[in-house]
Amino acid sequence: MSLSLIGRSLSESATLKLNAKAASLRAKGEPVIHLGGGEPKSKAPDEAIAAGVEMLNTGEVRYTPADGIPALKKAVTKYSEEYYGHKIEAANVIVSGGAKQSIMVAMHAVLDPGDEFIFPTPYWVSYPDMTRLVGAKPVPVLPEDGSFYPKISDIERRVTPRTKAIIINSPNNPTGAMYSEQFIAGVVELCEKRDIYLLMDDIYHRLLFDGKQPISCYKFAKKQGEDSKLIVINGVSKQYAMTGFRIGWAVASRGVVEVMTNIQSHQTSGPCSISQVAAAAALNGEQSSVESLRAALEQNRNLMIERLKTLEKVKLSKPDGAFYCFADFSAYKRSSTELSQFLLNKALVVTVPGIEFGMEGHLRLSTCGSAKEITEGADRIRWALDMNSPAEIAMGDRKVVRDWA
């Protein structure tokens, strides 16, 4: 069977593969602790649920415009003004089936085969394969100092005449690092100067800790209207805990949105009508659920750091936001894939190998579960790796004795 070169070049999503593995083990009754997920456990806002149910009860669940329903686009314009200080019109908005599709459609709109697409390392697992899907070349950029905080010089040294776009994800998945205002300003200036599109993956932008506030890229932009090089992506999945609703959006110039809309119309037509109505209700409704989630995630981050510090060989960088801890386990002298598999087999703990994010020796540990899951998960990791820890540990309703040296 002859398959396409692009199709054969792609790998399965590491995070989705782990989700499936965890679900399979749980179905068999295994007491798995999932520290690999990127999904808040809190409920979607009541307003969102009520709006979706009301529409469903009418029985009038139909196609929508390819770029989204007017009510949701209006809610996004309000959101942009409130949280970015940037006034836009509905024509500057396209709604998609999740922020992931918004990014993908934006890439199709601005990248040609052979173009280069830059993103800092560590990066979200999907960026490289999404780049290959449009026939472009992924260009991951590891900061020279080895930290999670790139400098503008790191980006500049990788820009070539083939560079067409850069994507910035802050706070970052997997590190939780929030990039500085100076860095964001520098990237905006660089992109405007070199005529490069700048995609801002802001899906975690309100989930910040320690009193930090979101940074609006528009604050530094000089080019406006059709000259703007900014494409800002967001959605309801993370901050509103509405992952299954699959609603994201992009804000860009009218010309870019028109092209994105044409592309999306041939991909999936319009996003799900029920999900869009629910998303509009979430954006327009009471925002206390976002703050409740943010506060809970900050507590979970603190708990994860506290538990991991009991492992002397593990190095940590305190996350500024999102819901991940990207910990350095390289002292254990295994590849991150081997270590992740070992922890799943021995401790029944799901983690994501750092190599999937472009940085070997690390594991991404999710903090969006319960405090109990974080505590037990970290304790199992310590039990599996630290020979000075007690040899026996509880896993579900049974006791397990460590049987390796």
Side-chain angles (χ1 to χ4, degrees):
M1 182 168 56
S2 178
L3 300 175
S4 71
L5 289 174
I6 288 179
R8 284 184 281 136
S9 73
L10 304 180
S11 57
E12 182 180 2
S13 167
T15 49
L16 296 183
K17 181 178 181 180
L18 285 166
N19 287 345
K21 177 68 173 177
S24 174
L25 288 170
R26 282 174 174 162
K28 295 176 182 178
E30 296 289 354
V32 175
I33 293 179
H34 199 343
L35 297 183
E39 186 170 43
K41 295 298 186 286
S42 55
K43 294 177 64 177
D46 292 339
E47 299 95 332
I49 300 298
V53 169
E54 182 179 356
M55 183 181 195
L56 188 61
N57 285 334
T58 69
E60 293 294 325
V61 183
R62 308 299 183 192
Y63 289 134
T64 70
D67 60 345
I69 61 174
L72 180 50
K73 294 184 71 170
K74 182 179 179 180
V76 173
T77 65
K78 176 186 173 185
Y79 186 95
S80 180
E81 184 171 358
E82 183 172 357
Y83 294 105
Y84 288 89
H86 184 62
K87 290 186 177 181
I88 58 172
E89 298 179 356
N92 298 114
V93 179
I94 176 173
V95 178
S96 304
K100 193 171 192 175
Q101 187 183 22
S102 293
I103 295 172
M104 193 77 245
V105 174
M107 292 169 69
H108 274 294
V110 304
L111 293 171
D112 284 315
D115 286 342
E116 294 178 352
F117 187 53
I118 290 177
F119 41 84
T121 302
Y123 47 75
W124 181 40
V125 294
S126 289
Y127 287 159
D129 282 336
M130 291 170 80
T131 308
R132 296 184 186 99
L133 270 173
V134 300
K137 178 183 177 182
V139 182
V141 177
L142 181 66
E144 281 191 329
D145 63 6
S147 75
F148 297 156
Y149 299 89
K151 296 180 175 61
I152 192 62
S153 58
D154 295 317
I155 303 296
E156 285 179 319
R157 64 186 169 85
R158 298 303 302 275
V159 172
T160 75
R162 298 295 299 175
T163 303
K164 189 70 173 294
I166 296 170
I167 191 166
I168 299 297
N169 174 218
S170 174
N172 172 267
N173 174 8
T175 68
M178 178 185 178
Y179 301 152
S180 70
E181 188 170 276
Q182 180 183 12
F183 175 74
I184 299 299
V187 174
V188 172
E189 181 182 3
L190 171 67
C191 289
E192 291 188 340
K193 180 180 178 181
R194 300 290 293 269
D195 200 33
I196 297 170
Y197 282 101
L198 175 57
L199 282 65
M200 295 296 300
D201 181 355
D202 279 1
I203 195 65
Y204 301 99
H205 85 133
R206 290 169 66 193
L207 300 179
L208 294 169
F209 311 141
D210 305 319
K212 293 180 172 62
Q213 296 299 314
I215 297 171
S216 172
C217 57
Y218 297 110
K219 177 180 177 181
F220 315 107
K222 293 184 173 59
K223 293 187 176 182
Q224 304 295 327
E226 292 308 296
D227 293 327
S228 174
K229 309 306 293 185
L230 291 171
I231 304 175
V232 178
I233 291 101
N234 214 317
V236 297
S237 290
K238 308 300 184 180
Q239 59 190 324
Y240 293 100
M242 293 174 65
T243 52
F245 287 79
R246 307 310 306 130
I247 293 296
W249 61 81
V251 174
S253 68
R254 286 171 178 254
V256 169
V257 168
E258 286 177 3
V259 173
M260 289 178 65
T261 300
N262 290 340
I263 294 168
Q264 186 163 286
S265 72
H266 294 293
Q267 285 185 335
T268 56
S269 300
C272 172
S273 55
I274 298 173
S275 294
Q276 288 187 75
V277 167
L283 293 181
N284 292 326
E286 171 63 49
Q287 299 296 296
S288 60
S289 67
V290 178
E291 172 55 25
S292 295
L293 174 60
R294 189 211 63 77
L297 290 172
E298 183 169 356
Q299 291 180 347
N300 284 356
R301 175 206 62 176
N302 295 340
L303 178 60
M304 179 67 82
I305 289 175
E306 175 189 310
R307 304 304 292 190
L308 288 180
K309 280 184 176 178
T310 64
L311 281 160
E312 294 183 0
K313 293 183 179 181
V314 174
K315 298 178 182 178
L316 296 169
S317 179
K318 188 178 183 182
D320 303 310
F323 33 73
Y324 312 105
C325 183
F326 200 56
D328 184 353
F329 283 80
S330 57
Y332 289 97
K333 308 299 183 183
R334 302 179 191 223
S335 73
S336 57
T337 300
E338 291 171 339
L339 184 60
S340 181
Q341 190 62 52
F342 171 78
L343 292 175
L344 180 58
N345 293 338
K346 294 294 187 179
L348 293 177
V349 176
V350 178
T351 60
V352 189
I355 192 62
E356 302 293 343
F357 306 95
M359 187 170 281
E360 186 57 278
H362 291 66
L363 296 178
R364 192 192 74 173
L365 308 175
S366 173
T367 56
C368 57
S370 67
K372 182 174 184 291
E373 287 174 319
I374 292 170
T375 300
E376 291 189 10
D379 286 351
R380 288 191 197 180
I381 291 173
R382 181 170 180 264
W383 167 80
L385 297 177
D386 185 355
M387 296 302 109
N388 293 320
S389 65
E392 185 178 86
I393 194 169
M395 290 191 192
D397 57 2
R398 67 178 188 266
K399 298 284 188 178
V400 181
V401 178
R402 187 170 55 237
D403 60 353
W404 60 92

